[in-house]
Amino acid sequence: MTPSREAKVLVTGAAGFIGSHVAQALEAAGHEVVRLDLRTGDDVRDAATLDRLMAGADVVVHQAAKVGLGVNVADLPDYASVNVYGTAVLLAAMARHEVGRLVLASSMVVYGEGAYDCPRHGRVRPAPRSAAALARGLFEPRCPRCDSEVGYATIDEDAPADPRNAYATSKLAQEHLAANWARETGGTAVALRYHNVYGPRMPRDTPYSGVAAIFRSALEAGRAPRVFEDGGQLRDFVHVRDVARANVAALSGGRPGLLAAYNIASGEPRTVGDLAAALAAQRGGPEPVTTGEYRLGDVRHIVAAPHKARAELGFHARIGFDEGMKEFATAPLAWPA
């Protein structure tokens, strides 16, 4: 089904940071929303719960996930259980209830490093950065063929997947499972590859949250944001209300096929250092501290090409970086579940 009217929508993860905004936006657009969230006692991995909540649904918007880069390999079972197994149970329930459309919260992390151009070899895919290079402060990727410096480029949805941490691997697995479901059932799956989402209700004081929330939590506690590497990592920071609007658009937009994937981004890249400085300025300090620390699973630059979402979903971000940071600097954060 491609709803052009009011639809009954099951939203998983509906009490979470992004899911709560998505549920609100769907209701504001006139849709009936059924909420599922572990915080309220409903587990996406429980088939009986899904059968109870999915009855009569037209669309599933799947936001429930274990997020973030993780702390160490001890997190692997949770990423596999919640993100991979949970999605498989959900898709099986959709088949039972003949729900024909899935909107999946995917992530830019499926790309691994972003796109890069070498002066000699053109578009290249750098290898994962080594611990030895990072420890020496050599943060920029190099050409895998000639070891020359490379320049970043925007990455589009046709770039090959190259997940470089457990979370990224689990998000790519979700996309593959969704494509399997669509092939077997004739359904439609739309994967929204979120870039760095920020905004009100981000979880505070947790290593599994995004960098925006980590910086914001530090500032609220009177601590200086600690900026890893040299602060020059490029990202696309997109406001959560824009992400919610993209989910509403995905209920009826997108091209038919087994899986249509879209970058959901602002189209306004900024560095991690810019983010820390903007939040600190809005709150009156403390000033950020650039530490040179690194996380082995991080990537250096990933800058989105947002054109496909505009063309096929009719979506473009409305909230600019300066406006968003002004609000986010004092917006309420949530306690992690």
Side-chain angles (χ1 to χ4, degrees), residues 239-291:
H239 196 282
V240 69
R241 287 197 297 274
D242 279 329
V243 171
R245 288 179 44 250
N247 277 269
V248 176
L251 253 62
S252 56
R255 54 183 168 82
L258 298 181
L259 181 82
Y262 300 92
N263 285 330
I264 303 302
S266 69
E268 189 180 356
R270 298 295 181 105
T271 68
V272 172
D274 290 339
L275 171 70
L279 289 173
Q282 288 292 337
R283 291 190 65 93
E287 291 296 312
V289 175
T290 302
T291 69

Side-chain angles (χ1 to χ4, degrees), residues 68-91:
L69 183 62
V71 176
N72 54 44
V73 293
D75 288 320
L76 287 172
D78 278 348
Y79 282 115
S81 177
V82 177
N83 297 357
V84 183
Y85 178 69
T87 298
V89 176
L90 176 73
L91 293 169

Side-chain angles (χ1 to χ4, degrees), residues 90-107:
L90 176 73
L91 293 169
M94 290 179 66
R96 287 196 301 276
H97 290 269
E98 299 183 341
V99 180
R101 191 173 186 89
L102 171 72
V103 179
L104 172 67
S106 188
S107 173

Side-chain angles (χ1 to χ4, degrees), residues 2 14 38 90 101 129 149 153 170 180 185 192 256 276 298 304 309 327 332:
T2 302
L38 192 59
L90 176 73
R101 191 173 186 89
R129 298 179 297 169
E149 293 183 2
S170 73
N180 296 155
T185 66
L192 303 181
D298 271 340
E327 178 201 26

Side-chain angles (χ1 to χ4, degrees), residues 52-147:
R52 172 171 56 86
L53 296 177
M54 198 176 291
D58 301 304
V59 188
V60 170
V61 176
H62 185 29
Q63 306 290 321
K66 180 179 176 66
V67 300
L69 183 62
V71 176
N72 54 44
V73 293
D75 288 320
L76 287 172
D78 278 348
Y79 282 115
S81 177
V82 177
N83 297 357
V84 183
Y85 178 69
T87 298
V89 176
L90 176 73
L91 293 169
M94 290 179 66
R96 287 196 301 276
H97 290 269
E98 299 183 341
V99 180
R101 191 173 186 89
L102 171 72
V103 179
L104 172 67
S106 188
S107 173
M108 56 87 174
V109 296
V110 302
Y111 299 123
E113 277 288 354
Y116 294 87
D117 290 327
C118 171
R120 291 180 58 192
H121 297 108
R123 184 59 49 89
V124 294
R125 296 286 286 174
R129 298 179 297 169
S130 71
L134 291 167
R136 297 199 306 271
L138 303 176
F139 302 124
E140 293 291 342
R142 313 284 293 188
C143 176
R145 297 177 63 184
C146 67
D147 201 40

